[in-house]
Amino acid sequence: MKDEAREGAGASMLYVEDEADARQMVTRMLAMNYPHLTVHCADNGLQALELYRQHTPEIVMTDINMPVMDGIRMSREIKAINPEVSIIAVTAHSDTSYLLSAIEIGVHHYVLKPLNYQELFTVLDKVLEQIELKRLVSAQHRRLAQSECQLAAAQRIAHLGSWQRGIDAENMDWSDEMYRICGLAPGAIPPSYHSFLERFHPDDREEVASSMQSALSPDHQPEHKFVRVLRPEGDVRIVRIDVEGVRETGGASGVIGTCHDVTELKQAEQQIRLLTEELERRVLQRTSLLQATVSELENFSYFVSHDLRAPVARLEGFCTALVEDCGVCGHANCRQYAERSASVVQQIKQIMDAFNSLTHLARCTLTIRDTDLSAFARGIARSLAAGEPQRKVEFVIAEGARVKGDPELLEKALGQLLGNAWKFTSKKEQGRIEFGWTDQQGVRAYFVRDNGAGFNMKYAQKLFKPFQTIHAPGEFGWGGTGIGLATAHSIVLRHGGRMWAEGEVGQGASFYFTLEPNPESGSYLKEA
Amino acid sequence: MAPSYILLVEDNPDDLFLASRIIGKACQHEILTARDGEEADELLRRMEQDDSYYQIKLVLLDLKLPKISGLDLLRAIRASAKLQVLTVAVLTSSDNETDQEQCRELGVVDYIYKPMTVERLQGILSRNEGAQ
């Protein structure tokens, strides 16, 4: 016992003695020997009872023979209030007649008058020791009750029941939550092995029984099973069962297990599975739709590139024949018409080539690699400048535009955009062409900006359509295929991106494009 | 002197007319025509037998032909001990790269996109005469 506890720490005592001198003496001795013990004094039973009610001390030391209310009567009253109280009777030899009644009411300690202090302290030490022991035991009880309470609450919150069974025993232990998971009030039925198995779906009982059996084996590996619990009202819960052997020296003495109600979790999983399947079905459906469209386009472009070529070639042949054979005819119109027909045939061929080149972009296989757009832009700028060294154009190219994409196609797209800027700055004294990027709402948009002719925003929709021009023919030279921006647009679309333009007449134009961060290699066409 | 020929294998009458017109302008050779692969094959077999095939200075071969295709006819020519020496140029409106590749492997002297021009044909003929 700790010294402080021995000295009465935390304990208090009611001392009842009618003789004032004796009371003072004893009180002083107690204060010296038990400095931590709180002592309340009374000079008769009635006053003592009053004090007891006020302070409820653990120890009562009392004289027996007192006026107003004697020690025996007072002790009986106090015991009635608190049966746990320790009462020390201080008796003279003449009081022995009271002793029997004292024992009867539960006074277990006594010291004889005249007081021998050594004797008193021995008794008091023993009482204090008992009080400390009781305090420890009740603290343990409290802790135990608290953790049981916590365990039950945790099981209830987590929908996790537990149970235990001795080897081949019919009787089991089920936790309250185990009952609740099975749709029963705690303790509603005796927790037997048979009624345990009966909680489960008939098809799952074998599984549960075998889990319990195999858990007894010394080399049992932890495993869990999902089984169905059938509640009395008829609804089905899905539970996860975990079983372990309880080992003691000499082998397994039984099994312990948990039963976790995961119905909602399983339902959510099922829901996710259904949604995923649905999504996959839709992706498949759309992919096949897309493939059908692409394959349609494939047929159409085959038609243009092959079937249409033959008659156009014939037309070209006849036009040439016309120019050669009828060009010398006296009628002036003949030669002119023949030549103009020949030039129309050339236009048709150009359109067919442009069409084939655009459809090729939609169909071709992408080879995705790490690509440095800045490096491409530098190269393109160099070759544009070398092509027309007399022009004064400042290129401002941001470094480090690294993306994932098909390098060949992206270089082509960038070439079209920079070439476009080059063309439409041709009438500027000092041209300026910029390549860079801006981050908008987490999406990186690359841009090619120039200070050239610009355009009216009401024509913005026409920009990316093939053969659509918004400047008069010849205004910026006769070069160009009429599909430059359409080509760049197609390439960006193939990379899962978007392209748009901003401009103002005479104030230059900006072409923006985004790219999918991780575009997929390959093409939309089914593998042949 | 035995006549010399250009064998024109072509099924489309317009193309046949245009090509014949160019041949007539470009050279003095007589024109033999076949309207499909089979007809060309039979004609070549006959000339192989009577050894008149050497009079064919050039075979102008369309690829898309009824019955036997141009490519198959070309293979047959290359497989024949005698006919394999024939000079063949392809005359086509298709830009199929595989066809072009295969024709090159089968040793065609030119791959002409329609319409053929006088200059192109004369170029082939003069290179060929030089080689012979």
Side-chain angles (χ1 to χ4, degrees):
Chain A
M1 189 165 46
K2 284 184 291 179
D3 276 358
E4 283 192 4
R6 205 203 66 81
E7 288 168 358
S12 60
M13 176 200 248
L14 175 61
Y15 175 40
V16 197
E17 172 59 67
D18 59 337
E19 283 173 38
D21 287 349
R23 201 168 61 232
Q24 274 175 10
M25 193 63 187
V26 170
T27 308
R28 203 171 300 141
M29 286 304 283
L30 285 172
M32 279 167 66
N33 282 277
Y34 300 92
H36 299 295
L37 181 71
T38 311
V39 179
H40 308 281
C41 292
D43 57 10
N44 65 64
L46 202 62
Q47 192 193 12
L49 209 54
E50 193 62 33
L51 275 176
Y52 184 83
R53 287 203 178 95
Q54 265 175 45
H55 302 288
T56 57
E58 294 90 339
I59 309 165
V60 175
M61 184 161 83
T62 181
D63 191 10
I64 300 293
N65 213 348
M66 287 180 300
V68 188
M69 183 190 277
D70 68 32
I72 295 296
R73 212 180 120 202
M74 179 205 74
S75 295
R76 187 174 283 124
E77 299 265 338
I78 288 176
K79 275 279 176 185
I81 298 168
N82 175 15
E84 296 293 307
V85 72
S86 294
I87 299 179
I88 304 168
V90 182
T91 65
H93 286 293
S94 57
D95 295 333
T96 39
S97 53
Y98 289 107
L99 266 179
L100 279 176
S101 21
I103 288 163
E104 181 211 318
I105 58 173
V107 175
H108 290 125
H109 310 279
Y110 69 93
V111 280
L112 288 175
K113 272 184 173 175
L115 271 176
N116 172 336
Y117 285 110
Q118 206 49 54
E119 198 184 334
L120 171 65
F121 295 157
T122 307
V123 168
L124 205 51
D125 281 352
K126 205 196 262 173
V127 169
L128 283 170
E129 198 174 330
Q130 280 171 355
I131 288 172
E132 177 65 13
L133 212 61
K134 265 189 205 162
R135 196 180 284 155
L136 279 175
V137 169
S138 83
Q140 292 284 21
H141 270 293
R142 259 201 314 279
R143 268 202 291 278
L144 201 63
Q146 204 174 19
S147 76
E148 263 178 18
C149 212
Q150 212 173 62
L151 182 66
Q155 288 205 354
R156 182 174 47 75
I157 293 166
H159 303 296
L160 179 81
S162 61
W163 46 268
Q164 199 161 358
R165 181 192 179 212
I167 284 187
D168 295 331
E170 180 56 21
N171 282 339
M172 291 178 70
D173 262 335
W174 300 356
S175 75
D176 289 355
E177 188 57 22
M178 181 68 209
Y179 277 98
R180 280 192 287 265
I181 288 171
C182 298
L184 299 168
I189 56 168
S192 72
Y193 177 60
H194 275 97
S195 57
F196 183 77
L197 289 182
E198 274 170 11
R199 297 304 108 206
F200 297 95
H201 190 283
D203 294 348
D204 295 346
R205 284 175 195 164
E206 187 66 32
E207 191 111 34
V208 174
S210 85
S211 283
M212 290 168 87
Q213 201 54 45
S214 65
L216 289 168
S217 147
D219 47 354
H220 167 73
Q221 294 297 315
E223 52 158 4
H224 61 261
K225 281 175 178 156
F226 292 100
V227 291
R228 288 158 293 174
V229 161
L230 286 181
R231 286 187 170 174
E233 318 87 79
D235 49 339
V236 177
R237 307 295 297 177
I238 298 162
V239 297
R240 175 187 155 142
I241 292 263
D242 286 77
V243 194
E244 264 183 27
V246 178
R247 299 201 193 286
E248 282 167 11
T249 42
S253 65
V255 287
I256 185 165
T258 55
C259 179
H260 190 189
D261 189 334
V262 291
T263 312
E264 280 73 24
L265 202 70
K266 284 280 161 191
Q267 279 167 349
E269 269 178 26
Q270 177 69 9
Q271 189 75 12
I272 288 171
R273 211 169 15 247
L274 285 177
L275 285 174
T276 312
E277 278 168 15
E278 172 63 22
L279 207 62
E280 273 169 13
R281 237 195 322 274
R282 258 192 244 174
V283 167
L284 270 179
Q285 203 176 16
R286 290 202 183 152
T287 308
S288 79
L289 213 75
L290 194 64
Q291 277 172 341
T293 312
V294 172
S295 142
E296 196 77 354
L297 179 70
E298 177 83 346
N299 290 340
F300 184 62
S301 64
Y302 187 89
F303 162 70
V304 171
S305 65
H306 297 88
D307 300 342
L308 204 55
R309 264 176 203 279
V312 169
R314 258 162 239 149
L315 194 57
E316 190 183 2
F318 280 114
C319 284
T320 311
L322 211 55
V323 172
E324 286 173 3
D325 296 358
C326 305
V328 289
C329 152
H331 203 299
N333 283 348
C334 280
R335 183 172 185 87
Q336 197 199 351
Y337 293 166
E339 279 172 359
R340 289 181 84 155
S341 302
S343 124
V344 169
V345 171
Q346 292 312 313
Q347 287 169 32
I348 295 173
K349 285 174 76 177
Q350 261 177 23
I351 291 175
M352 279 166 57
D353 287 343
F355 175 83
N356 283 330
S357 141
L358 280 179
T359 52
H360 172 75
L361 291 177
R363 291 177 292 138
C364 69
T365 301
L366 292 190
T367 310
I368 305 299
R369 292 206 197 91
D370 288 326
T371 304
D372 185 353
L373 294 181
S374 302
F376 283 155
R378 278 198 307 276
I380 295 160
R382 259 198 306 278
S383 76
L384 285 170
E388 288 177 83
Q390 74 286 359
R391 281 188 52 187
K392 284 189 201 144
V393 177
E394 179 198 5
F395 277 100
V396 181
I397 292 165
E399 285 307 313
R402 291 195 180 81
V403 300
K404 284 192 191 305
D406 185 303
E408 207 178 308
L409 291 185
L410 288 178
E411 184 176 20
K412 191 184 247 178
L414 206 52
Q416 296 293 357
L417 292 176
L418 289 167
N420 185 69
W422 179 262
K423 182 172 167 185
F424 290 104
T425 47
S426 62
K427 293 186 176 168
K428 281 271 162 188
E429 184 71 26
Q430 176 65 57
R432 187 176 194 276
I433 297 173
E434 192 185 348
F435 168 71
W437 65 81
T438 145
D439 289 329
Q440 293 167 348
Q441 283 138 24
V443 180
R444 181 154 292 191
Y446 300 90
F447 62 79
V448 170
R449 183 175 294 149
D450 65 62
N451 65 344
F455 62 91
N456 188 327
M457 280 299 277
K458 72 178 174 190
Y459 301 128
Q461 292 305 312
K462 290 178 77 179
L463 286 170
F464 305 120
K465 297 212 161 72
F467 311 115
Q468 297 268 6
T469 50
I470 57 177
H471 294 277
E475 194 183 344
F476 287 90
W478 293 99
T481 54
I483 57 161
L485 290 177
T487 299
H489 187 233
S490 268
I491 291 172
V492 164
L493 287 186
R494 272 308 298 276
H495 284 78
R498 213 161 65 78
M499 186 180 266
W500 68 97
E502 288 167 7
E504 202 181 316
V505 175
Q507 302 298 311
S510 300
F511 287 84
Y512 294 89
F513 63 92
T514 62
L515 298 170
E516 165 71 25
N518 273 306
E520 275 184 50
S521 285
S523 83
Y524 296 122
L525 286 172
K526 280 180 196 161
E527 294 294 317
Chain B
M1 192 178 140
S4 58
Y5 302 112
I6 286 183
L7 171 59
L8 179 57
V9 190
E10 174 62 74
D11 61 318
N12 183 284
D14 286 333
D15 283 342
L16 196 68
F17 170 82
L18 287 168
S20 303
R21 177 180 167 272
I22 295 294
I23 296 168
K25 281 179 161 252
C27 61
Q28 301 297 319
H29 302 306
E30 285 184 32
I31 304 172
L32 290 174
T33 57
R35 304 296 295 266
D36 61 53
E38 200 176 84
E39 197 183 318
D41 190 54
E42 281 165 9
L43 177 66
L44 284 169
R45 295 294 161 199
R46 273 203 307 279
M47 295 179 83
E48 182 185 22
Q49 272 179 2
D50 63 16
D51 279 335
S52 59
Y53 67 90
Y54 67 89
Q55 288 170 278
I56 300 174
K57 298 299 164 194
L58 176 66
V59 180
L60 280 172
L61 184 63
D62 187 14
L63 291 179
K64 226 171 76 183
L65 288 170
K67 298 179 186 170
I68 300 175
S69 81
L71 266 177
D72 285 341
L73 186 63
L74 184 55
R75 285 195 192 93
I77 290 170
R78 293 308 181 218
S80 150
K82 290 181 180 172
L83 297 179
Q84 61 170 320
V85 300
L86 290 176
T87 303
V88 182
V90 163
L91 190 53
T92 180
S93 55
S94 148
D95 63 348
N96 186 314
E97 286 173 17
T98 333
D99 284 353
Q100 204 169 342
E101 185 64 34
Q102 280 178 321
C103 288
R104 223 192 326 277
E105 281 167 15
L106 288 164
V108 303
V109 293
D110 203 353
Y111 195 91
I112 307 164
Y113 289 115
K114 291 174 186 174
M116 178 169 64
T117 60
V118 172
E119 296 73 25
R120 185 87 175 235
L121 180 56
Q122 281 175 339
I124 297 170
L125 290 171
S126 64
R127 278 199 303 279
N128 213 32
E129 265 162 32
Q132 273 179 350

